[in-house]
Amino acid sequence: MWARRYAQLLKDSGLAASSVLSQGLQAGPMDVRGFISLAQCLEQPSLLHDRLCDDYRLSNDPGAARAYLSVLHQDLALSVLGPLVLRLFRDGQAPVPSPEHIVLVPRNQMGTITSHWFMAPGQPAVTEATFIEQTDRQVTQWYPVFRKAFGVSPGAYWSSTGLGLGAPFSLVWNRLDPDALCQLAQQWLETFRNDSHRFIDWIPAVVGDQNAAIPQRKGCCLKYVLPEGGYCGTCGVYRKQRMAETVNHRHRRQETEQ
């Protein structure tokens, strides 16, 4: 149902969903043997903490460690959940994000400068309804560990999760009717029983002179406090300011069109 609704939304604007979604998918490493899995990190949180401390030399800076863990969770959402939802919308089926098959590739491997999560290829695909149910169960089960062991805030966890789940809509944020895109994106997040829809607002906006749809998060991933970090376009730090500017822009546009 959701794949068809998304495809129809794009078709109404002259876009082919299969082409758009395929362009958003990138191949991960084919051989993931030897890397620690998400399942191992959830069972033994010190593995992930120690890995980050080794990669970024954070042993004497617990605040920085918490920020890196929060950003790493965002990468989990964008690098694993996002591509799986793209496949679901393209093919009508996709694998479930199984923690046993999600691995952490450390920095300076695979040409990366930061650690990244990848899901091992070749996992069986499931139907749309099963994907929604089991993915919802997985991210809900991961939450207590990320919250208690890694210190990731509820707003950061669920807003990053929402960004990953909303990946198909982010692909076309400035290519469709903003109101229709925001409505369908928000409805999609609300199909999950977790709190991601409470921490993401899809809002129609004007970026420059262009109509757009923006996923506005209510929680911050803390990337801005890291040396190589910065403010992202969905950052909740400037949420009130951005929301006010969006309303003003839309009012001015409507007055011009009348």
Side-chain angles (χ1 to χ4, degrees):
M1 178 187 74
W2 287 101
R4 290 196 302 270
R5 292 182 66 182
Y6 180 82
Q8 185 61 54
L9 182 66
L10 269 63
K11 184 179 180 181
D12 291 342
S13 294
L15 299 176
S18 59
S19 176
V20 169
L21 294 166
S22 294
Q23 291 173 10
L25 287 166
Q26 298 180 352
M30 295 302 295
D31 187 357
V32 297
R33 291 173 296 180
F35 298 131
I36 61 173
S37 70
L38 176 59
Q40 291 174 300
C41 294
L42 294 173
E43 183 176 350
Q44 190 177 345
S46 61
L47 285 175
L48 182 56
H49 189 275
D50 292 346
R51 169 61 56 82
L52 287 184
C53 286
D54 290 342
D55 283 352
Y56 301 101
R57 301 180 182 180
L58 305 176
S59 57
N60 296 321
D61 192 345
R66 176 173 173 266
Y68 274 108
L69 286 161
S70 181
V71 171
L72 193 60
H73 169 260
Q74 178 173 254
D75 180 78
L76 174 63
L78 299 180
S79 297
V80 175
L81 294 182
L84 290 177
V85 179
L86 294 182
R87 288 182 58 182
L88 179 72
F89 277 36
R90 185 190 65 179
D91 304 333
Q93 57 181 4
V96 172
S98 168
E100 290 79 11
H101 300 107
I102 299 171
V103 298
L104 182 66
V105 178
R107 66 183 306 187
N108 298 324
Q109 300 219 20
M110 301 294 296
T112 65
I113 59 173
T114 57
S115 301
H116 285 289
W117 296 99
F118 290 101
M119 184 157 162
Q123 305 310 311
V126 299
T127 64
E128 185 176 83
T130 301
F131 178 89
I132 293 172
E133 178 185 359
Q134 295 190 10
T135 297
D136 182 72
R137 182 182 304 138
Q138 287 293 343
V139 298
T140 301
Q141 290 176 347
W142 303 345
Y143 173 69
V145 179
F146 277 93
R147 178 72 187 107
K148 297 177 183 178
F150 302 141
V152 179
S153 72
Y157 184 90
W158 290 116
S159 59
S160 291
T161 299
L163 286 179
L165 295 175
F169 303 96
S170 296
L171 278 180
V172 290
W173 68 280
N174 62 348
R175 304 177 68 182
L176 304 181
D177 172 69
D179 294 296
L181 176 59
C182 290
Q183 182 179 19
L184 189 61
Q186 205 70 46
Q187 290 174 351
W188 161 247
L189 290 181
E190 290 171 0
T191 64
F192 295 88
R193 291 179 294 177
N194 62 63
D195 284 338
S196 58
H197 70 279
R198 295 181 54 241
F199 289 92
I200 287 283
D201 284 326
W202 275 87
I203 58 173
V206 177
V207 180
D209 294 327
Q210 186 178 37
N211 294 332
I214 297 177
Q216 182 63 70
R217 51 190 302 165
K218 297 179 183 178
C220 182
C221 69
L222 300 181
K223 181 180 178 180
Y224 77 99
V225 307
L226 302 180
E228 66 274 26
Y231 295 103
C232 61
T234 63
C235 186
V237 170
Y238 294 122
R239 172 181 169 78
K240 291 183 178 179
Q241 175 185 339
R242 192 175 291 118
M243 293 285 280
E245 290 175 349
T246 295
V247 172
N248 290 335
H249 281 151
R250 286 179 62 80
H251 285 168
R252 287 196 296 270
R253 189 192 69 187
Q254 290 170 356
E255 291 173 355
T256 301
E257 292 174 350
Q258 288 177 354

